[in-house]
Amino acid sequence: MTQTYAQIQKQIAQLQKTADALREKEVSGVVSRIKEAIVHYGLTAQQLGFGHTAPKAGAPIGKASDKRPRAAKYSDGNGNAWGGMGKRPQWLRDALDAGRTLEELRIGTVVEAVAKQPGKQKKRRPSTLLYRDGAGNSWTGRGPQPRWMKEAIAGGKTLEDLRG
């Protein structure tokens, strides 16, 4: 039996409502675990990365005048600079078309020196943090969290429970 467009739209609306309810339930659980961790470890707003000052009451969030200027990440050495956000400026597009790479234009890096000396590349130090579950899964703490860890946290475990 084929479904009509209206029937499919109704199903989508029902699924979206269910998804919103599940998300709200998960968010409330995450928020309660975060609050518990804040109290347990005595964390401050500054330690959590919320800065030194709170926004003024009633002030709109994300207003353009509140934003700090972005530091330049790329420069061509001729006075042109770009912070890495928004549309690429014409000077950068011209340089890329001419065969240069973004790494060559990045401020504060010496790409050519490292690329020409393969033995001089910086080595990573081994990770000291390791998380494990009882099923043989492990994670070093680097990179995105694996699915098994996200599922364990959603199930009520804490990072301390998984520390191996």
Side-chain angles (χ1 to χ4, degrees), residues 75-81 91:
S75 175
D76 64 353
N78 297 326
N80 296 317
W91 68 264

Side-chain angles (χ1 to χ4, degrees), residues 26 30 33 139 143-157 159 162:
E26 288 180 17
V30 169
R33 288 192 301 274
W139 180 54
Q145 286 183 345
R147 183 183 309 152
W148 68 265
M149 178 169 258
K150 290 178 183 178
E151 291 170 354
I153 290 172
K157 296 226 179 204
L159 288 177
L162 298 171

Side-chain angles (χ1 to χ4, degrees), residues 2-79:
T2 59
Q3 291 182 324
T4 65
Y5 177 77
Q7 290 171 329
I8 292 175
Q9 288 295 344
K10 186 176 180 181
Q11 286 178 337
I12 290 171
Q14 290 171 343
L15 288 171
Q16 186 61 51
K17 190 174 183 180
T18 304
D20 291 342
L22 287 173
R23 184 182 188 282
E24 185 63 34
K25 183 179 176 183
E26 288 180 17
V27 166
S28 66
V30 169
V31 168
S32 67
R33 288 192 301 274
I34 290 171
K35 287 180 180 179
E36 188 177 304
I38 289 171
V39 170
H40 178 74
Y41 292 104
L43 301 174
T44 64
Q46 186 177 3
Q47 288 173 317
L48 295 172
F50 293 117
H52 300 284
T53 60
K56 295 179 184 176
I61 297 175
K63 187 177 173 186
S65 63
D66 293 341
K67 293 183 180 177
R68 289 178 272 153
R70 185 176 262 311
K73 285 186 176 180
Y74 303 96
S75 175
D76 64 353
N78 297 326

Side-chain angles (χ1 to χ4, degrees), residues 9 13 21 45 54 71 85 94 114 121 146 160:
Q9 288 295 344
M85 295 292 290
D94 292 340
V114 173
Q121 292 182 353
E160 286 297 317

